Amino acid sequence: MSPNGNVVSVRSNDQQVDLLASSNLSKVATINTDQAKCICATQLYVFVGSWSGKLSIYDVQRDFKLIKYLK
């Protein structure tokens, strides 16, 4: 389910990133990742960079589905 408003990201471990609604910090989604190094959440996309040099792009409006990754 897509949140109404902005998203805050929290790396819970090397394989998961939890996404929280900024309004009340409730968990809206969990993204499975590959050794997340950095995370940038915008209103439309969530970008996750990994230690292996991969950038994964997730679509907020499509329930945080992976739409593309770059190496």
Side-chain angles (χ1 to χ4, degrees):
M1 168 179 270
S2 298
N4 295 328
N6 294 329
V7 174
V8 176
S9 57
V10 178
R11 187 180 95 167
S12 56
N13 62 44
D14 281 345
Q15 282 76 39
Q16 289 185 333
V17 173
D18 290 337
L19 300 170
L20 311 175
S22 63
S23 59
N24 60 7
L25 297 181
S26 65
K27 186 173 166 182
V28 294
T30 297
I31 294 176
N32 294 321
T33 64
D34 178 31
Q35 297 180 338
K37 178 180 179 181
C38 59
I39 306 153
C40 177
T42 67
Q43 284 188 315
L44 299 177
Y45 302 104
V46 176
F47 302 90
V48 179
S50 72
W51 287 100
S52 62
K54 184 168 93 171
L55 176 66
S56 301
I57 304 169
Y58 299 87
D59 190 337
V60 171
Q61 307 227 347
R62 292 196 291 174
D63 295 327
F64 303 99
K65 293 193 188 271
L66 176 66
I67 57 170
K68 189 173 193 176
Y69 73 90
L70 307 168
K71 177 107 176 147

